[in-house]
Amino acid sequence: MSRHHEGITGRGRARTAASDEDVLARLREIVGAENVLVDEDKVEPYAADAVKEKFPPEAVLLPRTTAEVASILKLANERRFPVTARGGGVGYTGGAVPVEGGVVIGTDRMNRIREINADDLYVVTEPGVTTYALQQAVEAEGVFYPPDPASYKTSFIGGNIAENAGGIRSAKYGVTKHYVIGLEVVTPTGEVIRTGGLTSKNVVGFDLTGLICGSEGMLGIITEATLRLLPLPETTRTVRATFKTMAEACACVPRFNRARVTPVAIEVLDRNAIAAVETEFAFGFGADAGALLLVSVDGHASEVERDALICERVVRDGGGFDVMRSETREEEERLWDVRRAISPALKKFGTMKFNEDVVVPRSRVPELVARIEEIGKLHDTFVVNFGHAGDGNIHVNFMCDRDDPEAMRRARAAVRDTFAFSVELGGTISGEHGIGYVKAPYLDMALGAATIDAMKSIKRALDPNGILNPGKMFL
Ligand SMILES: Cc1cc2nc3c(=O)[nH]c(=O)nc-3n(C[C@H](O)[C@H](O)[C@H](O)COP(=O)(O)OP(=O)(O)OC[C@H]3O[C@@H](n4cnc5c(N)ncnc54)[C@H](O)[C@@H]3O)c2cc1C
């Protein structure tokens, strides 16, 4: 039986059930019977992502080749059932879950790295390789793949491209789209197309590579990616300092650049984030710690030593106290422990965390954080802010209890106010996590009607039958 989930978008449509026996028989012919999962306990692991809301698929398909993916999509168009691609399943906006039923294509078996070319600085990979495995493989060849979402041990390259994932190193190196130079994609109607190529320069035709990056699995299924690499930096160093206020800490950000240093990472924690990690893990921060700044530099050893000293001077001149500068890899790891401690520390503040990732021009971060504190008070909701001061992308965490509907309502109101203020500051509602179904109700706060219509036209042109990942992004 088909399970249609009309609750999320109200758009559930009558479809041919993917679980009809004749459809399942065709799917077994395409990918092999052992790669079609239908039992409840087998599909369960594919029912949710990091949002943790469950939408069990009618079947999970585990193809190995591009041709198999293309055949699945052709059948889906013929019999009209939804298809949703899945990578590591650690998205934060429900992108990989089949909210309108149908099948999930798990890319777990498409996990080979096909070529690492350290001379021409590219890697060709299938989509089901984890970000971490790819980083390790290229680093073993002396080259570097910079995008580093915090989920890197479990997220897949396909999911990173579909979400245009960022990370701590984006202050210097940018985000996933800056490294994707070529793709093989199965379109929603089952055609196989190639975009870009092996070269970082390529201006032939429309930039379909750019279109697919960040398209949240709605415009095609990525079956191969060519990613640009860089020489591997020799070493890194970190400076950590506390400040009385977020404004003082954030004011250092442009000063690093004016001192001709481009830090690889600039992270900030607000007063509540510091208090949370202090309560749980006793790092030794005093009551006067109103903000914490972590700044790292990378490159050749001699440059890195010099740049770390410059960063130390900048933070001291900017009012930083309890300043620490790492001299070894171990010391550096210890300085970063505080950042890693935030997520576990937050658990005691509620069973539900509205984890938003708004982004504003980086000079506006202090205003943003100050207003979010007011918004938290207005809606009687505890809020913790931390994140990427280097690119203005702040992780805002409104904490409450899942079982308390009134607290959940207040937290949702706080989220909406935060989105509105981020847009007012010239920013937007998501810098990393995307829209999926979770943020679909807010899309029109960030984009005008004509822009949304243009996006819908592209979706309709590529997916006339609404097969691929329906129920996402657009209400
Ligand atoms: C603890 C934690 C930390 C995180 N930290 C970060 C962070 O620092 N930066 C950041 O950007 N995000 C972060 N995220 C969010 C998330 O991990 C990223 O969005 C990541 O890119 C998702 O990858 P995934 O493989 O899990 O994708 P999934 O969740 O499986 O899928 C995400 C989307 O991609 C689509 N998709 C997957 N594979 C393909 C494919 N082959 N072709 C086409 N579409 C596909 C899916 O349909 C879905 O829409 C974090 C999440 C968690 C839980």
Side-chain angles (χ1 to χ4, degrees):
M1 283 299 290
S2 167
R3 276 161 272 171
H4 296 298
H5 300 280
E6 308 208 12
I8 297 300
T9 62
R11 290 199 319 146
R13 290 172 230 164
R15 293 173 190 276
T16 304
S19 49
D20 283 356
E21 267 316 312
D22 65 323
V23 171
L24 283 175
R26 297 269 300 274
L27 291 170
R28 288 187 180 107
E29 277 167 29
I30 294 170
V31 291
E34 67 283 15
N35 298 312
V36 178
L37 315 179
V38 287
D39 294 344
E40 216 171 296
D41 59 325
K42 295 276 177 7
V43 302
E44 167 81 12
Y46 296 84
D49 66 358
V51 178
K52 296 194 168 70
E53 199 175 9
K54 290 188 180 171
F55 296 91
E58 290 165 62
V60 174
L61 313 175
L62 300 170
R64 181 75 197 82
T65 66
T66 303
E68 290 171 10
V69 175
S71 298
I72 296 165
L73 279 162
K74 283 207 186 307
L75 180 65
N77 277 273
E78 193 188 305
R79 299 299 301 270
R80 299 285 204 270
F81 58 85
V83 176
T84 302
R86 183 180 178 95
V90 285
Y92 263 142
T93 51
V97 297
V99 294
E100 294 194 10
V103 302
V104 161
I105 293 188
T107 48
D108 313 51
R109 293 175 66 234
M110 304 181 83
N111 62 356
R112 279 178 309 184
I113 295 176
R114 294 190 175 152
E115 183 191 356
I116 298 172
N117 192 320
D119 289 337
D120 290 329
L121 291 171
Y122 66 76
V123 53
V124 182
T125 183
E126 293 180 355
V129 176
T130 64
T131 322
Y132 179 66
L134 187 104
Q135 285 170 348
Q136 294 288 301
V138 301
E139 286 178 24
E141 303 292 324
V143 275
F144 180 44
Y145 177 68
D148 61 338
S151 52
Y152 70 123
K153 290 220 168 140
T154 38
S155 67
F156 289 2
I157 288 296
N160 288 172
I161 296 170
E163 294 289 350
N164 189 16
I168 279 179
R169 294 198 285 238
S170 53
K172 177 172 179 177
Y173 292 109
V175 297
T176 302
K177 72 174 179 188
H178 299 122
Y179 296 86
V180 185
I181 56 174
L183 291 173
E184 178 187 76
V185 177
V186 179
T187 68
T189 49
E191 308 306 322
V192 180
I193 61 166
R194 283 199 160 267
T195 75
L198 300 179
T199 56
S200 54
K201 282 182 164 178
N202 182 335
V203 292
V204 180
F206 293 152
D207 179 12
L208 296 184
T209 312
L211 179 67
I212 296 296
C213 287
S215 63
E216 301 197 13
M218 294 172 66
L219 300 181
I221 298 186
I222 300 152
T223 47
E224 184 192 277
T226 305
L227 307 170
R228 190 165 73 90
L229 301 173
L230 298 177
L232 186 62
E234 196 178 15
T235 190
T236 56
R237 286 285 177 270
T238 293
V239 173
R240 195 182 84 185
T242 35
F243 291 80
K244 289 221 169 68
T245 64
M246 281 291 273
E248 275 180 349
C250 292
C252 292
V253 174
R255 291 185 196 139
F256 298 127
N257 299 139
R258 275 189 228 120
R260 301 189 185 205
V261 175
T262 305
V264 59
I266 315 175
E267 294 289 298
V268 72
L269 277 69
D270 77 351
R271 181 182 296 283
N272 285 353
I274 299 169
V277 292
E278 189 54 37
T279 312
E280 280 303 279
F281 301 105
F283 280 94
F285 296 115
D288 52 351
L292 185 115
L293 195 71
L294 280 152
V295 51
S296 287
V297 289
D298 70 349
H300 277 291
S302 56
E303 280 169 18
V304 164
E305 292 304 334
R306 186 203 58 198
D307 288 353
L309 285 168
I310 294 173
C311 289
E312 184 180 344
R313 195 191 67 223
V314 168
V315 297
R316 284 189 192 283
D317 290 351
F321 52 96
D322 293 338
V323 181
M324 294 180 184
R325 176 167 49 83
S326 70
E327 290 189 347
T328 64
R329 182 81 204 150
E330 294 67 41
E331 284 176 8
E332 187 172 354
E333 287 300 311
R334 274 206 298 281
L335 291 185
W336 277 95
D337 278 348
V338 58
R339 172 71 168 83
R340 288 187 275 265
I342 301 174
S343 284
L346 287 186
K347 291 209 170 95
K348 69 176 280 213
F349 294 99
T351 51
M352 178 69 192
K353 176 172 80 172
F354 283 84
N355 169 7
E356 305 306 336
D357 71 316
V358 292
V359 57
V360 294
R362 59 189 198 170
S363 65
R364 315 297 299 266
V365 168
E367 277 169 88
L368 174 72
V369 171
R371 177 66 77 88
I372 292 171
E373 276 170 21
E374 286 168 20
I375 289 171
K377 283 183 194 139
L378 180 70
H379 296 288
D380 192 17
T381 303
F382 184 70
V383 60
V384 169
N385 295 295
F386 63 91
H388 317 306
D391 55 29
N393 185 197
I394 295 300
H395 292 292
V396 184
N397 296 269
F398 289 107
M399 307 300 302
C400 62
D401 276 321
R402 220 177 257 280
D403 304 333
D404 182 344
E406 179 51 23
M408 291 281 281
R409 188 201 59 72
R410 290 198 308 270
R412 284 202 185 91
V415 166
R416 181 170 277 280
D417 286 359
T418 301
F419 286 167
F421 191 61
S422 304
V423 172
E424 205 179 307
L425 289 180
T428 194
I429 63 176
S430 176
E432 289 186 337
H433 299 162
I435 301 300
Y437 74 82
V438 172
K439 290 207 188 85
Y442 308 103
L443 189 72
D444 63 357
M445 294 177 80
L447 301 176
T451 308
I452 295 175
D453 278 349
M455 291 183 185
K456 284 182 176 168
S457 303
I458 293 169
K459 171 70 176 163
R460 270 195 302 273
L462 287 171
D463 190 5
N465 298 318
I467 294 298
L468 195 59
N469 210 0
K472 308 291 168 64
M473 200 172 306
F474 310 119
L475 288 179

